[in-house]
Amino acid sequence: MAAALAAVAYAAAPATATGHVQTSNGASSVNFYSDGEKFKVCDLAADGHSAVARVTRSDRGSTVYRVWHYKGAGGCSTYNYSMPEGTDVKYRACLGSYGNNTIWGCSVEQDDEA
């Protein structure tokens, strides 16, 4: 019975980000959740630009991924990536133009592990 209660309590606990970065002007942020390998990209400013995460993974070589939130200020998009445990993940919060796939104004790089 105690094991069942512990499992219920664990399942109800909210996920906690293991890493967070934000652009220097505060317009874009990225949270990484190693449990489930999820990225949450948020647009924090009504400036006409999209929020985007620039992501690299050690299991994919030099491939750079762009994870976009292009639906407007005040919102976030969450993406679930499947990657092996122990994968090194590096990411930055950036501003961008989704229509022409350009990014700029990126934060410092955050290094994390899946």
Side-chain angles (χ1 to χ4, degrees), residues 28 43 47-52 68-71 94-99:
S28 172
D43 187 341
D47 57 8
H49 305 301
S50 297
V52 59
W68 293 88
H69 174 75
Y70 54 86
K71 298 176 183 176
C94 305
L95 299 174
S97 174
Y98 183 74

Side-chain angles (χ1 to χ4, degrees), residues 34-37 58-59 82-88 113-114:
S34 61
D35 184 17
E37 299 89 30
S58 63
D59 66 326
S82 179
M83 60 184 87
E85 292 298 316
T87 299
D88 186 44
E113 185 176 288

Side-chain angles (χ1 to χ4, degrees), residues 38-109:
K38 294 178 184 172
F39 286 94
K40 183 176 181 182
V41 182
C42 299
D43 187 341
L44 306 174
D47 57 8
H49 305 301
S50 297
V52 59
R54 183 184 185 281
V55 179
T56 59
R57 300 168 37 176
S58 63
D59 66 326
R60 297 293 170 101
S62 61
T63 302
V64 176
Y65 297 90
R66 293 179 178 183
V67 185
W68 293 88
H69 174 75
Y70 54 86
K71 298 176 183 176
C76 300
S77 294
T78 301
Y79 297 86
N80 188 357
Y81 281 85
S82 179
M83 60 184 87
E85 292 298 316
T87 299
D88 186 44
V89 181
K90 296 180 182 181
Y91 50 95
R92 298 173 185 258
C94 305
L95 299 174
S97 174
Y98 183 74
N100 61 15
N101 196 32
T102 58
I103 63 172
W104 63 85
C106 295
S107 68
V108 298
E109 187 171 76

